[in-house]
Amino acid sequence: LHKPRDAGRGKLFEREARALAALSKEASIVAIYEWGEIGEQNYIVQEFVEGGTERLLKEHAHGLPVIQALGIAADCAEAL
């Protein structure tokens, strides 16, 4: 979270982290291992996934083919 930060934003971060952790039990969603705060900086520790977005962006600099983008969207929708 970017500064300025208040208690409300900290509670929001905590709620979102818990929601992500609950969703991460699904095989298609990265695992969330831990979250917290160090000083005034929030963090989330999640599973590392090889490849992913960076590879897709390099392979398709002008955008994904529609069928591939729809496949990714369908996988995301199914996981949620």
Side-chain angles (χ1 to χ4, degrees):
L1 297 173
H2 297 287
K3 295 180 182 178
R5 197 171 149 262
D6 59 28
R9 289 179 62 127
K11 289 179 184 177
L12 176 62
F13 177 82
E14 174 84 15
R15 187 177 73 208
E16 294 294 323
R18 287 184 187 282
L20 286 170
L23 286 174
S24 71
K25 291 172 179 47
E26 176 67 38
S28 300
I29 299 177
V30 297
I32 303 296
Y33 300 121
E34 182 181 344
W35 62 87
E37 182 179 320
I38 296 177
E40 293 186 13
Q41 184 65 51
N42 295 105
Y43 68 90
I44 293 179
V45 179
Q46 69 182 43
E47 170 186 12
F48 175 76
V49 178
E50 188 72 39
T53 306
E54 185 177 351
R55 179 184 52 80
L56 283 175
L57 291 173
K58 285 181 181 177
E59 291 174 1
H60 304 282
H62 300 290
L64 291 175
V66 172
I67 194 73
Q68 189 173 6
L70 289 173
I72 292 169
D75 289 345
C76 292
E78 184 178 331
L80 293 174

